[in-house]
Amino acid sequence: MIRSLKYYFATLFIGILILSCSEDINIDLKKEDIIPLPRRIQVAQGSFEMTASTPINLLGDETKLRPLAEYFNAQIAKATGFELTARSKSGASNGINLFLEENTDNRFSEDYSIEVVKQNLVISADTEAGLFYGIQTLLQMLPPEIHADGVQDVQWLVGTGTIRDRPSYEYRGAMLDVARHFFDVADVKKVIDYVSAYKLNRLHLHLTDDQGWRIEIKSWPDLTAVGGQTQVGGGEGGFYTQEQYQEIVDYAASRYVTIVPEIDLPGHTNAALAAYPELNCNNQSPDLYTGIEVGFSTLCTDKEIVYEFVDDVIRELAAMTPGEYIHIGGDESHATKKEDYIKFMNRTQEIVQNHGKKSIGWDEIATASMLEGNVVQFWASEENAKKGVLQNAKLILSPAKKTYLDMQYDSTSRIGLHWAAYIEADSAYLWEPDEYVPGIKKENIYGIEGPLWTETVITMDDIEYLMFPRLTAIAEIAWTSKDNREWESYSERLAKHAEVWDVKDINYYQSPKINWDLEEIEQ
Ligand code: TNX
């Protein structure tokens, strides 16, 4: 009897020991591979464990919070084998808590905070977008296997402590050129997943160019029927119906990404000219174009029919675009006379305004008169960028030497161009938006964007190879404050974060600038 009692106590003691050990696993939040790096991280002892019985407590407007809980569940379900039960609550209690504060002074805030103690984890924000970013951070705090397609035998632990976070810039974007090579709705959704995972909030779609017109315009059906037929290299091309475009817009919205559609005018219009000869000064349709030269096409800016065309296109596009901006291109119009270009860009901005939207244009637009509230996207000419600022326009910075995702990493990269620069992983990271163009200060900068032109980009694998690890640099520059950014910290986090890309089967570039050997880093 005494022996068995002793035995009983001994096993109980060992049991308690094992239990308390597992509860006391320490995870240092500062060593987590969170990209972009949050503003403030405070570390505490211990960890929080997510299990099948962890609830998600919805604190605040349930109709707004449920979709966020569903999004989180969809992200974790395959790897964990469970979904968490979401329930309305009035105060934080054990489990994961989504707290929507809705302070009316902060209606546009994207800030969030996360507080983690052993039994409970609270993500708080003033807006749903803020909570969405908090969820992205939580997903990065969980083990990388959380992204696996099948059930993993992993303890889902998160380090305890506090994170406070807020973005540096309001406009945080990437661009996908679907004109040079067409990408279908499923591919675009994947790109939306990628950008939103790193807290970017805009996806600019370059919908038209010399090689293809990719958006259905019902009043000018040949734009797509003729102009959508091919692409660079002569492949079959394609286009989005208005319903498909709507599907993209809605999917993006569910991830707090606004679609910025671009109709590139008055140059880069060979596909439109091939479809409608009346848009051309000589009334003849050129052949469809499948090469990669730029700067040879232009709409005939003297013809009224051209402005009727622009009006119809912008009207239909504005009606299916909830975002406040339409991008009207304006770059490399080498075949348009300067005075014609200015007249055309001025009139087109008015058309956009008449349809209730504001215009964004590539930096050449600043040689015209910017309407109030319109935006200049700097890509090449510092002089144009400064002209934009002098006209009180906001600037999106996309310096080709730093942010062009289509540039080769080095001369051996299997795809990409190099007219602006070779952009290695470190070069993409090591620049400051508010120091890049002398005279352009933080208050002039609306944000930054990384454009992916697709002359040499054909498959999803190609997109991933050029985006990773440079999209993460753009995200960290756009989000993390300047004094918190440091190449060494970023490159170490990247190396760890590559485990996520491995799990997700994302084809990233193994840059020699990064030490990918985790064991070496940890020493
Ligand atoms: C310049 S950037 C272009 C594009 C090309 C790109 C290739 C800009 C406004 N125009 O038409 O696709 O270079 O890198």
Side-chain angles (χ1 to χ4, degrees):
M1 179 66 190
I2 290 182
R3 227 197 106 168
S4 67
L5 253 187
K6 257 194 199 159
Y7 177 77
Y8 171 78
F9 280 116
T11 24
L12 190 70
F13 180 70
I14 291 169
I16 290 172
L17 210 67
I18 292 172
L19 261 181
S20 53
C21 276
S22 70
E23 277 185 10
D24 269 338
I25 292 177
N26 262 325
I27 296 177
D28 185 343
L29 272 187
K30 287 210 164 152
K31 296 207 173 122
E32 292 290 327
D33 51 318
I34 306 174
I35 301 174
L37 185 67
R39 185 157 293 231
R40 259 186 47 210
I41 301 179
Q42 279 168 321
V43 180
Q45 291 281 316
S47 50
F48 168 91
E49 183 173 9
M50 178 176 81
T51 67
S53 57
T54 303
I56 302 187
N57 302 316
L58 309 177
L59 317 180
D61 185 338
E62 195 183 331
T63 51
K64 293 180 179 166
L65 287 166
R66 260 200 197 272
L68 288 157
E70 278 163 19
Y71 170 84
F72 181 70
N73 270 330
Q75 302 305 305
I76 66 161
K78 286 188 191 151
T80 60
F82 52 73
E83 290 196 13
L84 308 182
T85 306
R87 56 184 192 184
S88 248
K89 280 273 183 178
S90 52
S93 52
N94 286 357
I96 294 177
N97 297 270
L98 299 180
F99 180 23
L100 183 59
E101 297 179 73
E102 299 202 81
N103 183 341
T104 43
D105 292 343
N106 300 329
R107 265 176 310 142
F108 303 108
S109 161
E110 298 176 298
D111 302 14
Y112 70 90
S113 67
I114 305 182
E115 275 166 68
V116 193
V117 294
K118 273 188 190 174
Q119 300 296 333
N120 108 31
L121 184 158
V122 187
I123 307 180
S124 320
D126 273 313
T127 62
E128 295 135 277
L131 287 178
F132 181 80
Y133 299 134
I135 288 173
Q136 294 310 328
T137 298
L138 172 58
L139 288 168
Q140 292 191 358
M141 290 156 78
L142 283 159
E145 293 88 348
I146 196 71
H147 300 286
D149 259 347
V151 176
Q152 304 291 301
D153 186 16
V154 169
Q155 227 186 333
W156 304 108
L157 297 174
V158 172
T160 50
T162 307
I163 290 179
R164 290 191 197 292
D165 206 3
R166 81 156 46 127
S168 282
Y169 290 100
E170 189 179 334
Y171 185 111
R172 304 180 301 277
M175 188 204 84
L176 182 66
D177 168 10
V178 294
R180 270 51 178 273
H181 281 101
F182 181 66
F183 293 89
D184 66 15
V185 174
D187 285 342
V188 177
K189 284 184 178 174
K190 262 195 161 181
V191 170
I192 291 168
D193 285 340
Y194 295 160
V195 304
S196 60
Y198 302 102
K199 306 185 176 83
L200 298 178
N201 60 3
R202 304 288 198 286
L203 180 67
H204 168 184
L205 288 176
H206 184 75
L207 289 168
T208 69
D209 212 301
D210 291 317
Q211 298 86 346
W213 186 284
R214 310 295 180 206
I215 179 71
E216 177 189 23
I217 300 295
K218 293 192 196 277
S219 52
W220 295 73
D222 283 350
L223 287 171
T224 44
V226 175
Q229 272 176 5
T230 190
Q231 58 183 3
V232 168
E236 73 178 11
F239 66 90
Y240 310 120
T241 63
Q242 296 202 348
E243 291 69 27
Q244 286 174 323
Y245 176 78
Q246 199 63 58
E247 193 182 331
I248 291 172
V249 164
D250 292 347
Y251 188 84
S254 75
R255 277 139 180 82
Y256 301 90
V257 171
T258 303
I259 296 294
V260 179
E262 177 183 352
I263 305 293
D264 202 349
L265 304 165
H268 291 272
T269 42
N270 190 77
L273 298 170
Y276 290 101
E278 61 268 42
L279 301 176
N280 229 322
C281 283
N282 67 6
N283 289 318
Q284 300 207 346
S285 278
D287 292 339
L288 290 170
Y289 182 67
T290 60
I292 64 169
E293 295 300 312
V294 295
F296 60 87
S297 58
T298 183
L299 296 174
C300 190
T301 55
D302 289 338
K303 286 186 169 179
E304 258 334 279
I305 182 86
V306 162
Y307 297 94
E308 284 164 29
F309 162 78
V310 172
D311 191 73
D312 285 337
V313 170
I314 301 295
R315 175 175 43 77
E316 290 195 33
L317 190 60
M320 51 183 168
T321 299
E324 64 182 313
Y325 294 102
I326 303 270
H327 201 304
I328 54 174
D331 58 314
E332 300 171 321
S333 280
H334 307 317
T336 324
K337 279 201 214 106
K338 193 168 164 50
E339 67 265 30
D340 293 345
Y341 175 84
I342 291 171
K343 176 186 68 182
F344 178 87
M345 292 311 276
N346 287 349
R347 242 179 116 172
T348 299
Q349 288 180 75
E350 266 163 32
I351 291 171
V352 171
Q353 193 179 51
N354 290 342
H355 293 296
K357 301 289 179 188
K358 293 176 185 160
S359 300
I360 304 177
W362 296 108
D363 62 46
E364 292 94 323
I365 194 178
T367 62
S369 308
M370 301 295 299
L371 280 189
E372 202 188 322
N374 287 357
V375 175
V376 175
Q377 184 165 12
F378 164 66
W379 65 284
S381 163
E382 296 191 359
E383 204 188 317
N384 287 341
K386 286 183 208 155
K387 278 186 185 152
V389 169
L390 284 176
Q391 297 196 58
N392 286 322
K394 290 194 277 188
L395 293 186
I396 296 168
L397 300 197
S398 298
K401 290 181 185 355
K402 290 291 178 186
T403 66
Y404 268 32
L405 296 167
D406 65 317
M407 291 298 119
Q408 289 174 293
Y409 292 98
D410 66 20
S411 61
T412 68
S413 299
R414 66 175 176 83
I415 47 172
L417 305 174
H418 58 258
W419 64 264
Y422 293 114
I423 308 178
E424 251 298 351
D426 55 348
S427 175
Y429 185 79
L430 292 168
W431 67 283
E432 302 291 348
D434 58 356
E435 292 170 18
Y436 193 78
V437 181
I440 290 176
K441 303 190 224 38
K442 177 127 201 244
E443 62 260 33
N444 307 125
I445 303 173
Y446 185 26
I448 71 170
E449 179 181 295
L452 179 55
W453 302 99
T454 58
E455 285 92 337
T456 64
V457 179
I458 302 174
T459 63
M460 199 63 215
D461 248 31
D462 295 346
I463 291 182
E464 291 172 353
Y465 169 77
L466 290 172
M467 277 195 164
F468 299 108
R470 292 188 292 201
L471 187 73
T472 41
I474 286 160
E476 187 145 311
I477 294 169
W479 185 281
T480 306
S481 65
K482 192 162 147 179
D483 35 314
N484 265 344
R485 283 201 286 115
E486 192 194 36
W487 165 253
E488 207 185 340
S489 143
Y490 167 74
S491 60
E492 283 182 13
R493 278 178 287 121
L494 256 192
K496 280 194 207 166
H497 188 72
E499 289 183 75
V500 169
W501 296 338
D502 289 333
V503 173
K504 283 185 162 177
D505 212 10
I506 287 179
N507 173 36
Y508 60 96
Y509 164 62
Q510 296 260 350
S511 165
K513 302 284 179 181
I514 291 160
N515 181 1
W516 300 96
D517 185 342
L518 292 185
E519 276 167 29
E520 247 178 66
I521 297 173
E522 248 126 55
Q523 274 165 18

